[in-house]
Amino acid sequence: MSLGNLVREALQEYLARSSAKPSPDAIDRLLADPFDDPDPDPYLSVDHDYYLYGAKRKSRSGR
């Protein structure tokens, strides 16, 4: 079981017990099935600044 599935289960249990009512759209997004990227970037953890801020790719700088 992935960490994402554990979080979804905990969130479902919390929402069932809680009086807090976030927007239905937010709940749908949080509880949606995980997204599987058909073409994942193997350097995503290294190039996070590229994706978030447009910085140079670190994985390509030494090549």
Side-chain angles (χ1 to χ4, degrees), residues 11 14-15 18-28 30:
L11 180 61
Y14 170 76
L15 291 173
S18 174
S19 62
K21 298 296 175 202
S23 73
D25 186 46
I27 294 171
D28 290 343
L30 290 171

Side-chain angles (χ1 to χ4, degrees), residues 3-26:
L3 184 57
N5 288 336
L6 290 174
V7 170
R8 281 184 201 84
E9 286 180 10
L11 180 61
Q12 287 173 331
E13 290 175 13
Y14 170 76
L15 291 173
R17 290 184 311 223
S18 174
S19 62
K21 298 296 175 202
S23 73
D25 186 46

Side-chain angles (χ1 to χ4, degrees), residues 29-48:
R29 289 177 190 239
L30 290 171
L31 298 179
D33 290 334
F35 173 75
D36 288 325
D37 190 350
D39 188 27
D41 183 352
Y43 298 106
L44 181 61
S45 63
V46 175
D47 290 335
H48 61 276

Side-chain angles (χ1 to χ4, degrees), residues 47-56:
D47 290 335
H48 61 276
D49 287 337
Y50 169 78
Y51 291 105
L52 294 173
Y53 313 113
K56 292 176 111 178

